[in-house]
Every structure is written in C-alpha cells, then in structure tokens.
Amino acid sequence: MRVYKNRTISMQVWLTALVCAVVLVSLSVTGYLIGSKAADKARSYQSEKAMDIAIAISHTQPVIDGLTGKGPVEDIQTFTKSIQDDTHVEYIVVMNNERIRQSHPIAERIGQYFVGGDEDRAFQGEQYTSMATGTLGESMRAFAPIWFEDEIVGVVAVGIMMNNVRSTVFQSIKTSFIGIGFGLLVGLFGAVLLARKVKRTLFGLEPREIALQLREREAMLEAVRDGIVAINDKAEIVLANQAAVTLFRNAGVGEDPIGKPIQSFVPSLALQQVLEHKKPQYDQEQKLNGLDIIVTQVPVVSNNRLVGALAIFRDKSELTSLVEQLSGARMYAETLRHQTHEFMNKLHVIMAMVHTKSYDELKEYTAYLSDAYQKEAGAVSRLVKDPVIAGYLMSKLSESRESGVLIELYGENPIPPLKKVEHMDKIITVLGNLLDNAYEAVSDQVAGEIQLTLDYDESQLKFSVKDNGPGIGGDNIEEVFERGKSSKGEDRGYGLYLTKTALDEIGGTWSVSSMKGKGTQFDVSIPYKGEEL
C-alpha cells in the first residue's frame, strides 16, 4: 500500500467537521425558527395581558366615578395601585380628557401631563398597543378609552417596561438554546463515532488510497491473460476482466456481462453450483458454446460468510500449445541426450582407430556417420519446419535406430509451423500411432524397414507410413480401426482406434492397403493451415 506524505486533513477529520457543520446549521435554523416563534408569542402574551388589564380598568366603576366627579378622584390611584400590585405590570396610568394623570406609580407625578405622545388614537375611541418612552423609560403600552354615557371621559394606559418584555422573551427561548447546545454535543459525539465507523469499514484507508488501489487492481486484472469472472451471493456477475470478455466474444457471447445472472449468461460455468455446495473445483475441462476451456472455480468467503464465487479460465488451445511446445523441447532434449551418448561412443571409436593408425577403417567409419546424420537430422530439418513435429520425429528416428529398425524419410514440400495449434495433439496422435504400429509390425523382422513420406500441399498435410512387416490378414482390412480389434492378442487394438477418432475430430481422411507377407501402408490426409515460410 502506498503511503501518502504531507497529508493535512484526514477523511475522519473532514467527515467529523462536515457532520458537525450540518448539525450546527440544522439546529441553528431550527432554534432560530422556534426562538422567533417563542419570542413573538411572548410579546403577544405581554401585549394581550396589558390590553386585557387596560380594558378591565376602563370599565370599573371607581375609575369612571372619579373621572365624572361622582366619586373621589383619589380612589382612582388607590384602585389602580392594587391592580398593579396584583398583575405585576410596571404602571397603570388613568388620565382625563385634558391628559392629566389621575394615577401613577410615582404619586408626585399625579396631576401632570401624560408623556409619550402616543395616546391620541385612544381619545378617538381606539384600543391599541404601542412602544414609547415615558418618564419611566421605554415601555410597551396598552391604551383603552373610558366611556360614560357614550362619551369618552378619559383614557387608561397600562405599561410594561421593554426590559421586562425582553427578559420574558429570553426566558421563553432559553430552552431552545439549551436544546441546540445539547443537540450539538450529541451531533459531535455521533459524528466522531460515524467517522471512526467509516474509517474501520474502509480498513483505515483514505479516499485517495482507495482510488489508487482500485486503479491498481483494475490494471492487474486487465494485465492477466486468464479470464476472471466474479459473482455475488445472488449469482449475478459483478466483475469480468478484458480477457474474460474477449473469451466470451470468441465463444459467441458478445453482451456486457456485468449485472447478468451467471446461469443465463454462461450456463456452462458451474459457479451457481459452487455457491450452493461451497466446494472449489480446480482445472476442470468444460465447453463454452463449443469452445474448450480449462476452469478453476472457488467460493469467496469473507468473515465466515459466503459472499460470492470466482472463476478463472483460459482457452484450452493456449494451454495445449504450451504443452506441445514443451513436449517438442523435451523431445529435442531427449534426442540430444541420445545423440550425446552416441557421439561419445563414436569419439571413443575414432580415438581407438587413430591410436591404432587404422586410417582406412577410420575413413569408412566417418563416411558412414556422415551418411547417417544426413538421413536423420538433415532430412528432418529439411522437411519439417514445425518444432513439435520435428522434435517428435527426431525422437522416433533415434529410438528406432537404437532398436535396429530403419526409418527412411522422404518428401519434397517442407511442412510449415502449424497455425491452429489446438490440432497438434491430434496430428501427433495419428502420426505416432501409425509409426508405433509399423514399428511393432517389423520388430521381429531380420531387416525391419519403415518408409515415412511427408508432403504439404494446399493446406493439406499428407503422409504415408509403409512397413515391410507380415501384413494384415482377413478380408475386411478396415476392421483394424475398430476398438479392440488386433491380431496381437488381448487388451490390444486401441492405437489405430485412437488414430481414427483423432482423424474424425479434425476432418482427416485415411486409407490402408496390405498384402500378406508384403507389408502394410497407411495413407493419411489432414487439414493443415501452416505459416508462410
């Protein structure tokens, strides 16, 4: 994992700050709306309270009698003072039509003019509240006219100081502020827990590190030549690298696999069964719409829970090609080992002849060796350019020579390297079984001889294998290709049966001719697309 340096703010800090900011803004807006409504209600309550007191006083008999002269005017001050003490308002002022105070919290101001200038509407018969500054300071006032026999005889003003109104408003919204503070603390605690949870869920990685690992994973998946397909626990394809998409396209499945159910998209893949049985399957040979593939399928388990399954597969022809190339190299190595052994023996013979000064015999011996080389290695390299077939023939020639059986190689047109390497195993099966069959036929002969003729013409590989063995008896000579048919005893007769099966699979043709005591000849023609030489 790449480590980032000079990081200033981690994702955990960002997430915590973001959640706290969201909580703070949300609570602040909510608190403002609730506080505004509470403040309005508090002001409205104080206003209604003052107005109710003012209206009640305007209808009381002592006040009306004092203003009309039917009763002592001093009773107005006594009455309003008691009401003021009971209702906890700042002042109750009753004035006559000349706007002279008849009551006041400060007795010395009785008989003086009312101060404020906002009482005019009341003398016109209107009830209302207003804000004004009087002798006691800024206050909220409720005015109500005093009527007697359909005439206004005075006005009552009930006042509440604005400081008290603001105090009442603050008390009403203080609960909201406490709730905002508590909510912010809870939000901060929750933000820290959430940030830690997210951090653990992401395995302690920062977003940049996650993005980097995702890009690296995708690059690695695309670099792999094997097809990789992953499904979730619902058997839906969640991942398919480019090699898998290409293989699907080669098999005739050209749709985008992501999100498709695996059973309907590629029924031949047994990932559904892997999910059900939770057992891996390794190196299974399967067919994908006629395309041979090698598949490994394993369940994917995370935290002891099955979360999906993974399939890794590859075109069988590619593996076959690798195997054949390795087989050809192995045959070359085996041939070189035999030749090295023979070469050392020949060197010892040559040294002995030189030591004994047998120069005439040495000349004849070296001429023999040169002729043998030209017949084997020279003929194979001249006629066969495909390394797999060439390696196989070199091995067969060396093996038969050591066993005393002569294989003569003929041909004119060289055989180019095979393009469609998936057919190579079938070609080797046909050629090898026919050579083995001929070798067994002449192994008991005094001078056993096999003739192998190779030719390449118009995308056809043609070869014939002829031996001087005892021949095949019987009227129906073609029965030798049937399974278990052999004149060599029980548990035999499989080589030529496999030869015919391989020929049928690659579209090859064959013919056989034989005479009792004269030997047998097999002629084969195989479709062969070779590279240009």
Side-chain angles (χ1 to χ4, degrees):
M1 182 183 70
R2 184 175 296 180
V3 179
Y4 288 90
K5 296 181 179 180
N6 299 325
R7 290 184 300 179
T8 54
I9 302 178
S10 67
M11 181 193 65
Q12 186 172 354
V13 174
W14 271 112
L15 188 58
T16 302
L18 178 61
V19 173
C20 288
V22 171
V23 171
L24 177 61
V25 171
S26 300
L27 291 177
S28 298
V29 172
T30 303
Y32 172 77
L33 295 176
I34 294 175
S36 298
K37 190 173 182 180
D40 291 341
K41 289 182 66 175
R43 293 189 188 96
S44 177
Y45 169 76
Q46 294 292 339
S47 176
E48 291 175 359
K49 174 184 176 182
M51 181 58 69
D52 290 342
I53 296 172
I55 293 173
I57 292 175
S58 68
H59 290 83
T60 57
Q61 199 62 42
V63 172
I64 296 173
D65 290 346
L67 291 174
T68 58
K70 292 182 179 182
V73 71
E74 293 81 5
D75 290 348
I76 297 176
Q77 173 69 5
T78 304
F79 177 74
T80 56
K81 186 71 170 77
S82 64
I83 297 298
Q84 180 182 331
D85 294 338
D86 292 338
T87 57
H88 305 289
V89 295
E90 296 300 322
Y91 60 84
I92 299 175
V93 175
V94 177
M95 67 192 83
N96 58 19
N97 287 339
E98 285 76 23
R99 306 185 186 189
I100 301 297
R101 301 186 185 106
Q102 304 300 311
S103 65
H104 195 277
I106 301 175
E108 290 79 6
R109 295 179 183 176
I110 297 174
Q112 299 177 3
Y113 284 101
F114 184 81
V115 178
D118 55 344
E119 70 276 8
D120 294 341
R121 292 162 53 193
F123 284 99
Q124 296 175 6
E126 187 177 346
Q127 298 175 356
Y128 59 93
T129 59
S130 68
M131 303 291 179
T133 302
T135 57
L136 296 178
E138 186 183 11
S139 62
M140 181 179 66
R141 303 174 174 187
F143 291 93
I146 303 172
W147 295 85
F148 178 74
E149 295 180 355
D150 298 329
E151 292 183 5
I152 296 175
V153 295
V155 171
V156 59
V158 178
I160 300 176
M161 301 305 295
M162 287 304 301
N163 290 336
N164 294 337
V165 174
R166 294 189 186 97
S167 176
T168 303
V169 171
F170 176 75
Q171 291 296 328
S172 65
I173 64 175
K174 183 172 67 173
T175 304
S176 300
F177 290 149
I178 294 174
I180 290 174
F182 180 75
L184 185 58
L185 290 176
V186 173
L188 176 61
F189 180 71
V192 172
L193 292 182
L194 176 63
R196 290 183 177 178
K197 175 65 176 178
V198 172
K199 191 76 172 177
R200 286 196 301 269
T201 303
L202 299 179
F203 300 101
L205 298 176
E206 293 294 318
R208 288 174 295 177
E209 295 171 330
I210 295 173
L212 176 63
Q213 289 200 6
L214 179 61
R215 288 194 296 268
E216 291 176 345
R217 189 200 70 164
E218 290 178 349
M220 288 187 289
L221 286 176
E222 297 306 324
V224 175
R225 295 185 62 186
D226 292 344
I228 300 175
V229 170
I231 63 173
N232 57 20
D233 55 354
K234 298 178 182 177
E236 296 172 342
I237 300 176
V238 295
L239 181 145
N241 67 346
Q242 186 58 44
V245 173
T246 301
L247 200 59
F248 289 151
R249 191 179 298 116
N250 294 339
V253 185
E255 300 178 24
D256 184 8
I258 303 300
K260 300 287 193 314
I262 187 67
Q263 200 62 27
S264 61
F265 189 75
V266 275
S268 56
L269 288 179
L271 281 176
Q272 181 82 32
Q273 289 76 13
V274 173
L275 277 181
E276 295 173 357
H277 301 102
K278 302 179 182 179
K279 293 182 179 179
Q281 300 177 4
Y282 297 102
D283 300 326
Q284 299 292 312
E285 184 175 347
Q286 297 181 8
K287 283 188 176 294
L288 181 62
N289 287 1
L291 184 67
D292 292 327
I293 58 175
I294 303 297
V295 185
T296 292
Q297 301 172 110
V298 294
V300 179
V301 178
S302 177
N303 296 327
N304 297 322
R305 186 175 70 89
L306 183 67
V307 297
L310 185 70
I312 304 173
F313 49 90
R314 193 169 187 178
D315 192 341
K316 183 185 174 184
S317 62
E318 297 181 8
L319 298 177
T320 302
S321 174
L322 292 175
V323 171
E324 288 168 353
Q325 292 179 23
L326 291 174
S327 299
R330 183 184 61 81
M331 292 176 184
Y332 273 127
E334 189 69 18
T335 301
L336 289 175
R337 187 182 66 82
H338 286 300
Q339 290 180 347
T340 301
H341 180 70
E342 292 180 4
F343 180 72
M344 293 301 298
N345 291 335
K346 291 179 177 65
L347 281 180
H348 287 303
V349 173
I350 291 173
M351 289 178 61
M353 290 182 176
V354 171
H355 185 71
T356 59
K357 299 182 180 181
S358 303
Y359 299 120
D360 293 335
E361 290 82 356
L362 178 61
K363 182 178 179 181
E364 292 179 3
Y365 185 68
T366 54
Y368 165 75
L369 293 180
S370 176
D371 183 61
Y373 174 78
Q374 291 296 329
K375 284 185 178 180
E376 291 184 7
V380 171
S381 62
R382 178 177 60 86
L383 286 176
V384 183
K385 305 302 181 183
D386 186 276
V388 178
I389 299 177
Y392 183 77
L393 286 178
M394 289 289 292
S395 177
K396 280 293 183 184
L397 290 175
S398 177
E399 179 184 346
S400 64
R401 179 166 36 81
E402 290 181 358
S403 302
V405 175
L406 176 63
I407 297 181
E408 296 183 351
L409 190 61
Y410 301 94
E412 295 183 0
N413 300 319
I415 301 172
L418 180 63
K419 283 185 178 180
K420 206 169 185 179
V421 295
E422 61 266 25
H423 288 171
M424 181 58 74
D425 60 335
K426 309 297 182 185
I427 294 174
I428 296 297
T429 297
V430 173
L431 181 60
N433 282 326
L434 291 180
L435 286 175
D436 289 342
N437 188 74
Y439 174 80
E440 291 185 1
V442 301
S443 59
D444 296 332
Q445 300 287 107
V446 176
E449 182 178 328
I450 299 173
Q451 293 181 359
L452 174 61
T453 303
L454 300 172
D455 192 21
Y456 176 72
D457 183 35
E458 296 181 354
S459 299
Q460 291 285 323
L461 171 62
K462 299 177 181 180
F463 62 86
S464 65
V465 179
K466 182 179 179 181
D467 64 69
N468 62 348
I472 301 175
D475 297 332
N476 192 359
I477 194 173
E478 295 183 359
E479 289 183 354
V480 295
F481 287 101
E482 295 180 7
R483 185 173 183 176
K485 290 286 185 177
S486 177
S487 59
K488 300 169 186 175
E490 297 182 358
D491 297 327
R492 304 297 298 273
Y494 292 98
L496 293 179
Y497 166 74
L498 294 176
T499 299
K500 182 177 181 301
T501 301
L503 284 171
D504 292 341
E505 290 182 2
I506 59 178
T509 59
W510 57 271
S511 64
V512 58
S513 59
S514 180
M515 291 182 62
K516 194 70 173 177
K518 299 291 185 178
T520 304
Q521 178 173 333
F522 290 90
D523 296 293
V524 173
S525 179
I526 297 173
Y528 188 101
K529 292 184 179 181
E531 300 177 1
E532 294 184 5
L533 296 176

